[in-house]
Amino acid sequence: MLDQRGTGLSTAISQSSLQLRGDEKVQAEYMKSFRADSIVKDCEAIRKALTANYPEDKKKWSILGQSFGGFCCTTYLSFYPEGVKEAFLFGGLPPLRNNADEVYERLYERVKQRNEAYYAKYPEDVGRVHRIIKLLSRFGDTTVRVQGGEGYLSARRFLQIGIYFGKHGGLDQVHELVLRADTDLSQFGHLTRPTVLALETAQSWDTNVIYALLHEPLYCQGEASNWSAERLLEKYPEFSLKNIEEDKPVYFTGEMIYPFMFDCYPELRKLKTVGELLAQEKAWPKLYDAEQLQKNEVPTYAAVYLDDMYVDYDLSMETARTIKGCKPFVTNSMYHNAIAAKTDEVLKELFERRDDVID
């Protein structure tokens, strides 16, 4: 199992490690080398090194990717298919698009559906969320400070815990945090430090800055992301904080990146200029080769989740049809993290397709 570049023990990206590279322009330029196109080049170099003394018929390897790992697998099939024996993708068939706009339009619609499911299951949380937002906004965005004092828990930051809606048990995880925060308000009139820490722990942007910096650019080929999620937000009033005034539910957001994050997360605050430079960058190289995928000869198997909040089902199936010979397993009984939450079930389905024994 590889720690892809920028993660784990592979020269992990953090604010402090980026500063060692030079000024903001140098840092942004450096970050351009951490997308799928660079990752698969690493994989090929590793494969060749590992198999240098293997017989010719044993040099290919099988690859497996979850979520963004599946995006990397598709890049691998596009540019280095000669190194791959077979590919298994879990919630990871990427949209074959040149920017993030359509991806986020579809994402907003799916997150709306998950919010509807959440408030249907916990209708009392409409009022709880209102009370929490009012507290967080009492003196502007900086009412509640987070660990270290350099960042703050704004209302919009709080609503980002909706990212859990796409996982098994995610509705309940969000409810537990909402209930805990509202209980603090009822009993003490403020959020206690343990509750603020619980909310901080639920948000990984400070410890995974590469996620924030490259999430929108990872969709781009020759075009700028230009803060796609923020530009599209005005089309979806369900997510507006103003809904409190009209006594309407305020919807949580999902896997979206917003400019405000580079103001309220302590580590991201130090990378605001880098984030802006990457959002405006247009010179992103190709990630996928549709012509190569259409003549693909590598056996490819993909788990596709009908109700995947993070990776759009229709765009996934479009890509599955583009990859020649791709055999998808489609289900509405699993969510995006099935490889972790329902490992035996989803592996069984894909390996049955590999072994051609589903009949």
Side-chain angles (χ1 to χ4, degrees):
M1 295 183 69
L2 301 171
D3 284 347
Q4 67 198 35
R5 58 165 61 193
T7 72
L9 300 179
S10 295
T11 323
I13 295 294
S14 66
Q15 182 275 329
S16 59
S17 70
L18 265 182
Q19 273 195 326
L20 298 175
R21 312 301 306 188
D23 64 19
E24 284 92 345
K25 288 185 178 180
V26 173
Q27 293 174 38
E29 192 65 27
Y30 181 65
M31 288 304 304
K32 289 165 64 177
S33 299
F34 286 83
R35 300 195 313 157
D37 50 331
S38 298
I39 290 167
V40 299
K41 290 175 184 176
D42 292 340
C43 291
E44 264 300 270
I46 292 167
R47 181 189 68 83
K48 288 178 179 178
L50 289 176
T51 63
N53 298 319
Y54 286 27
E56 282 303 314
D57 62 343
K58 301 292 185 183
K59 287 183 178 292
K60 295 183 179 183
W61 62 3
S62 302
I63 59 175
L64 183 154
Q66 152 70 13
S67 192
F68 175 63
F71 290 23
C72 293
C73 289
T74 308
T75 302
Y76 214 143
L77 295 176
S78 293
F79 300 115
Y80 302 101
E82 66 277 5
V84 184
K85 176 184 177 183
E86 56 190 353
F88 301 88
L89 288 69
F90 297 85
L93 283 166
L96 302 181
R97 297 293 186 270
N98 292 330
N99 62 51
D101 283 11
E102 183 181 353
V103 174
Y104 276 111
E105 285 181 354
R106 291 170 175 265
L107 175 59
Y108 272 117
E109 293 296 336
R110 296 195 304 279
V111 177
K112 279 169 57 177
Q113 294 172 9
R114 296 304 291 157
N115 272 278
E116 289 164 5
Y118 175 78
Y119 283 123
K121 185 171 186 178
Y122 298 110
E124 65 275 21
D125 282 4
V126 173
R128 290 186 175 123
V129 170
H130 282 194
R131 289 190 289 274
I132 295 166
I133 288 175
K134 287 177 181 177
L135 178 278
L136 295 175
S137 307
R138 183 178 295 168
F139 305 112
D141 287 339
T142 61
T143 302
V144 177
R145 292 284 178 174
V146 295
Q147 207 56 353
E150 292 186 29
Y152 48 85
L153 182 62
S154 67
R156 289 191 70 185
R157 172 173 171 170
F158 166 73
L159 292 171
Q160 287 191 291
I161 60 175
I163 195 171
Y164 285 98
F165 284 166
K167 300 179 179 181
H168 289 275
L171 300 184
D172 301 328
Q173 283 181 275
V174 173
H175 170 68
E176 288 173 10
L177 290 167
V178 169
L179 179 62
R180 179 171 181 171
D182 187 59
T183 300
D184 270 8
L185 296 184
S186 299
Q187 295 179 348
F188 312 116
H190 68 276
L191 298 184
T192 62
R193 176 51 55 183
T195 295
V196 174
L197 281 174
L199 288 165
E200 283 188 67
T201 303
Q203 299 179 319
S204 63
W205 306 106
D206 278 320
T207 53
N208 295 279
V209 300
I210 193 173
Y211 191 178
L213 291 171
L214 290 184
H215 187 261
E216 288 198 356
L218 71 81
Y219 294 107
C220 295
Q221 303 181 92
E223 297 183 22
S225 64
N226 193 25
W227 300 116
S228 178
E230 183 74 17
R231 285 187 290 103
L232 294 168
L233 181 59
E234 64 182 31
K235 296 173 62 174
Y236 302 95
E238 297 89 350
F239 296 89
S240 174
L241 296 174
K242 295 179 181 178
N243 288 338
I244 291 178
E245 300 165 10
E246 301 176 22
D247 204 29
K248 295 179 180 178
V250 178
Y251 280 13
F252 293 87
T253 52
E255 193 180 35
M256 295 90 161
I257 304 299
Y258 299 107
F260 81 81
M261 296 168 62
F262 292 82
D263 290 318
C264 65
Y265 289 91
E267 290 298 292
L268 296 185
R269 283 171 64 91
K270 304 164 189 172
L271 295 170
K272 186 171 183 175
T273 301
V274 178
E276 185 63 40
L277 290 170
L278 291 170
Q280 303 307 325
E281 178 63 57
K282 295 180 180 178
W284 298 108
K286 282 183 64 175
L287 294 167
Y288 313 111
D289 184 337
E291 289 187 12
Q292 176 58 42
L293 295 175
Q294 287 166 358
K295 58 184 181 183
N296 173 63
E297 295 181 357
V298 178
T300 303
Y301 313 92
V304 185
Y305 312 117
L306 190 65
D307 298 315
D308 193 324
M309 190 180 84
Y310 309 95
V311 180
D312 185 75
Y313 169 77
D314 291 325
L315 293 180
S316 293
M317 292 308 294
E318 178 186 299
T319 303
R321 291 188 291 269
T322 300
I323 302 174
K324 183 181 178 182
C326 177
K327 294 183 179 180
F329 158 61
V330 179
T331 179
N332 67 346
S333 63
M334 299 180 189
Y335 291 133
H336 184 74
N337 66 326
I339 190 66
K342 298 194 174 186
T343 309
D344 292 345
E345 295 176 47
V346 70
L347 284 178
K348 174 177 177 290
E349 293 288 352
L350 257 62
F351 280 111
E352 283 187 348
R353 280 152 182 79
R354 195 274 299 269
D355 298 333
D356 199 22
V357 294
I358 59 173
D359 289 333

